[in-house]
């Protein structure tokens, strides 16, 4: 995500942060580069001008020019400005009522922005947080929209209200009564969109809003549309008063124009971002973390959170004990592969590591190794020593690989097993390895871990 602007900012930051002295000329040249990067990223011109002027004004003060480390101080100013542009450091969240009352979330947006998908992702997230949501199918224009929401609702175990399939306003009103009667604390209403804003759509949305009195009116916008998303947000806000934005397809957004312009122009926060096709690919938008990633500083906090969400703590402790007793098997290695996959695409995880943004890693090796282990019997996974030449041929054939690939995996497994045994028994070595991961990790070392 945001590959283009991240690559440009990475280069700018590397150049300026290493300077022991900063002059006004340095500042002007760097800010000019930043200005071009933002314009190429399709950031709103007004936002770019404001960013450039405030950065130059602050950077030319004594705070930078007379600082002990002026390069780092200048980078800090750029970081702070990007955070402010994205929405500031103050945590933004949904303003919902308590569990004894039904809160209403109204979703708006053009056709194709991903409202229906965003509705079920939001419902799944709220359910995970302990709320009791219900979905309302009020998109009666797009063919199969109601059916799509029904399938997605069933997938996450959230009911979908679709009583009146002729009148969206009556359906919304009925959904609210249903939610209150059955003690659902959150009603999420999926509405119809058009390919472009028109009077009929707006009139229907105004009526729905009036009859359900929503607590949140969220615009679902396609991040890939850049400044168009900002214009759409302005129009919806003028007529319906949006309270926040969900940016979809954020994982495919190479430029970042929408994310970097929305808050400044509309004064409405980006609350969530869609980061993939899966239900769980729906994250809270943290301006500071996105700013860190744009500047190539990574996003270690999000990486740790993903690990905490997807790694079974009891299983991790069990594995650690097995490692200490030298009982680590190919079955354990397979489980590690599968746990990493639960955290998302390997490339998205790599981008969260400081200094690794936009580094392309070949992850085919991990897929190949997973296929090889899956082609083994339980006995073979439990004891790799019984895997002789004939078994290796069978495993290679079953996994669509070669005997050389199987040999390579077994050698890698033996090295990993030995290393893990040493690490589990040596706390000093554990600390050393952790410090390597926290610092500037060698690309070749990381690549070896994935092969």
């Amino acid at each position: 995500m945001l590959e283009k602007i991240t690559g440009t900012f990475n280069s700018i930051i590397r150049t300026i942060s290493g300077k022991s002295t900063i002059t006004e000329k340095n500042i002007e040249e760097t800010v000019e580069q930043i200005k071009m990067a933002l314009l190429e990223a399709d950031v709103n011109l007004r936002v770019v001008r404001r960013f450039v002027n405030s950065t130059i004004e602050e950077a030319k003060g004594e705070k930078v020019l007379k600082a002990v480390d002026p390069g780092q101080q200048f980078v800090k100013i750029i970081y702070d400005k990007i955070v402010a542009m994205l929405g500031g450091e103050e945590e933004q969240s949904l303003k919902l009522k308590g569990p004894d009352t039904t809160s209403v979330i109204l979703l708006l947006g053009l056709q194709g922005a991903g409202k229906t998908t965003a509705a079920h992702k939001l419902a799944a997230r709220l359910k995970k947080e302990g709320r009791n949501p219900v979905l309302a199918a009020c998109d009666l224009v797009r063919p199969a929209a109601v059916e799509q929401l029904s399938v997605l609702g069933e997938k996450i175990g959230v009911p979908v209200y679709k009583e009146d399939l002729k009148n969206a306003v009556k359906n919304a009103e009925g959904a609210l009564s249903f939610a209150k009667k059955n003690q659902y604390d959150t009603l999420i209403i999926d509405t119809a969109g058009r390919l472009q804003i028109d009077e009929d759509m707006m009139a229907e949305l105004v009526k729905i809003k009036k009859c359900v009195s929503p607590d949140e009116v969220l615009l679902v916008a396609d991040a890939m549309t850049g400044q168009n998303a900002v214009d759409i947000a302005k129009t919806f806000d003028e007529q319906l008063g949006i309270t926040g934005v969900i940016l979809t397809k954020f994982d495919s957004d190479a430029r970042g124009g929408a994310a970097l312009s929305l808050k400044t122009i509309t004064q409405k926060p980006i609350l969530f971002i869609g980061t993939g096709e899966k239900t769980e690919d729906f994250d809270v938008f943290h301006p500071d973390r996105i700013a860190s990633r744009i500047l190539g500083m990574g996003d270690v906090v999000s990486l740790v959170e993903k690990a905490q969400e997807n790694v079974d703590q009891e299983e991790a402790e069990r594995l650690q004990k097995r490692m200490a007793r030298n009982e680590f098997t190919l079955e354990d290695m397979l489980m590690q592969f599968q746990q990493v996959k639960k955290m998302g695409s390997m490339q998205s995880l790599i981008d969260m590591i400081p200094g690794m943004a936009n580094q392309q890693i070949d992850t085919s090796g991990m897929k190949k190794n997973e296929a090889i282990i899956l082609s083994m019997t339980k006995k073979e996974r439990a004891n790799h020593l019984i895997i002789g030449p004939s078994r290796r041929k069978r495993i290679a054939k079953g996994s669509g690989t070669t005997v050389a690939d199987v040999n390579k995996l077994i050698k890698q497994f033996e090295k990993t097993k030995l290393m893990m045994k040493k690490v589990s028994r040596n706390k000093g070595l554990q600390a050393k390895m952790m410090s390597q991961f926290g610092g500037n990790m060698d690309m070749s070392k990381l690549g070896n871990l994935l092969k």
Side-chain angles (χ1 to χ4, degrees):
M1 60 182 75
L2 311 181
E3 293 91 350
K4 192 170 182 180
I5 192 168
T6 300
T8 307
F9 266 93
N10 243 315
S11 176
I12 294 169
I13 295 304
R14 275 200 304 269
T15 302
I16 200 71
S17 61
K19 292 188 179 292
S20 55
T21 56
I22 295 288
T23 64
E24 291 193 4
K25 187 181 178 183
N26 290 149
I27 290 168
E28 287 169 2
E29 287 174 352
T30 303
V31 171
E32 183 63 26
Q33 285 180 285
I34 291 171
K35 182 173 99 174
M36 294 309 298
L38 292 173
L39 290 173
E40 286 174 10
D42 199 27
V43 177
N44 182 276
L45 183 59
R46 204 171 101 204
V47 176
V48 175
R49 283 176 178 160
R50 190 179 297 184
F51 180 91
V52 166
N53 293 337
S54 62
T55 301
I56 288 176
E57 185 181 346
E58 192 167 339
K60 283 187 176 180
E62 290 187 12
K63 192 176 180 181
V64 169
L65 297 177
K66 295 186 178 181
V68 176
D69 193 338
Q72 291 294 335
Q73 190 66 47
F74 188 22
V75 171
K76 176 67 166 61
I77 289 173
I78 294 170
Y79 166 79
D80 288 341
K81 297 296 178 187
I82 294 177
V83 171
M85 195 193 306
L86 289 167
E89 294 185 358
E90 188 178 335
E91 190 72 29
Q92 299 287 346
S93 58
L94 292 173
K95 293 172 177 60
L96 304 178
K97 303 185 187 90
D100 297 331
T101 313
T102 301
S103 299
V104 180
I105 301 172
L106 182 62
L107 299 186
L108 319 170
L110 295 186
Q111 190 171 311
K115 284 191 305 300
T116 304
T117 304
H120 105 276
K121 286 183 177 182
L122 178 58
R125 184 176 191 90
L126 293 175
K127 185 179 178 182
K128 193 174 180 181
E129 291 173 358
R131 294 192 73 91
N132 186 22
V134 58
L135 290 157
C138 294
D139 180 356
L140 310 182
V141 176
R142 182 170 64 87
V146 175
E147 184 59 32
Q148 182 191 1
L149 190 64
S150 298
V151 171
L152 292 172
E154 187 177 349
K155 178 183 171 185
I156 60 173
V158 172
V160 176
Y161 182 88
K162 48 183 178 180
E163 196 67 31
D164 191 329
L165 298 181
K166 293 181 180 178
N167 188 312
V169 180
K170 286 184 179 178
N171 208 39
E173 200 169 18
L176 181 56
S177 297
F178 173 82
K180 288 179 177 178
K181 185 179 178 181
N182 293 278
Q183 298 182 320
Y184 289 103
D185 60 26
T186 313
L187 171 63
I188 301 170
I189 302 175
D190 179 28
T191 61
R194 304 288 194 280
L195 294 175
Q196 58 189 21
I197 294 169
D198 65 29
E199 290 181 11
D200 290 342
M201 176 185 69
M202 282 297 181
E204 181 178 272
L205 292 174
V206 168
K207 287 176 184 176
I208 290 175
K209 182 184 177 185
K210 189 175 180 180
C211 81
V212 298
S213 301
D215 300 273
E216 292 280 3
V217 181
L218 305 183
L219 173 73
V220 180
D222 183 342
M224 293 177 69
T225 58
Q227 282 195 58
N228 284 343
V230 181
D231 296 333
I232 291 163
K234 280 175 66 180
T235 306
F236 272 101
D237 186 40
E238 286 165 4
Q239 299 200 41
L240 289 146
I242 64 172
T243 57
V245 179
I246 297 174
L247 272 184
T248 60
K249 305 175 192 174
F250 199 72
D251 55 315
S252 303
D253 180 21
R255 298 178 302 171
L260 289 161
S261 305
L262 266 165
K263 181 63 169 69
T264 304
I265 298 299
T266 67
Q267 291 301 306
K268 308 298 178 183
I270 300 170
L271 297 175
F272 301 100
I273 49 175
T275 55
E277 297 295 324
K278 297 177 183 176
T279 300
E280 58 271 21
D281 295 335
F282 190 74
D283 300 329
V284 172
F285 184 79
H286 296 281
D288 54 339
R289 300 185 194 181
I290 298 298
S292 289
R293 292 175 76 164
I294 287 173
L295 297 181
M297 300 172 184
D299 184 1
V300 176
V301 177
S302 292
L303 185 59
V304 170
E305 284 180 355
K306 277 191 176 289
Q308 288 174 337
E309 285 175 14
N310 293 284
V311 175
D312 187 323
Q313 191 62 37
E314 288 183 10
E315 182 59 37
E317 290 173 3
R318 185 194 69 81
L319 183 59
Q320 190 172 15
K321 289 175 183 175
R322 288 175 61 77
M323 283 159 47
R325 296 195 299 264
N326 199 27
E327 294 174 359
F328 184 72
T329 67
L330 284 161
E331 185 73 49
D332 295 320
M333 180 178 263
L334 177 64
M335 288 181 69
Q336 285 189 319
F337 288 156
Q338 291 170 341
Q339 285 195 336
V340 169
K341 280 170 67 178
K342 283 182 187 176
M343 291 170 64
S345 72
M346 185 57 68
Q347 192 60 53
S348 69
L349 300 180
I350 295 298
D351 288 343
M352 292 183 192
I353 300 173
M356 301 288 284
N358 295 335
Q359 298 287 352
Q360 296 300 311
I361 300 292
D362 182 10
T363 59
S364 59
M366 191 167 80
K367 293 176 184 176
K368 187 188 290 183
N369 288 344
E370 186 179 3
I372 291 170
I373 299 174
L374 285 169
S375 297
M376 296 176 183
T377 65
K378 285 189 176 181
K379 284 186 179 180
E380 288 166 345
R381 292 181 205 173
N383 181 10
H384 72 286
L385 297 175
I386 68 171
I387 307 176
S390 61
R391 288 177 185 259
R392 294 186 188 208
K393 283 183 183 177
R394 190 205 79 244
I395 292 165
K397 189 176 180 181
S399 59
T401 59
T402 65
V403 173
D405 290 327
V406 178
N407 292 340
K408 186 179 176 183
L409 169 67
I410 292 173
K411 280 185 181 178
Q412 181 186 331
F413 167 73
E414 288 173 339
K415 285 182 181 178
T416 302
K417 186 174 181 178
L418 183 63
M419 181 190 73
M420 286 183 165
K421 183 183 177 183
K422 287 180 180 178
V423 171
S424 64
R425 292 182 176 179
N426 188 331
K427 290 186 178 179
L429 186 57
Q430 282 183 36
K432 187 178 178 182
M433 287 187 71
M434 288 305 292
S435 68
Q436 280 188 335
F437 273 91
N440 293 320
M441 191 175 191
D442 190 334
M443 278 293 299
S444 61
K445 291 178 184 175
L446 187 63
N448 290 335
L449 289 174
L450 302 175
K451 287 178 183 174

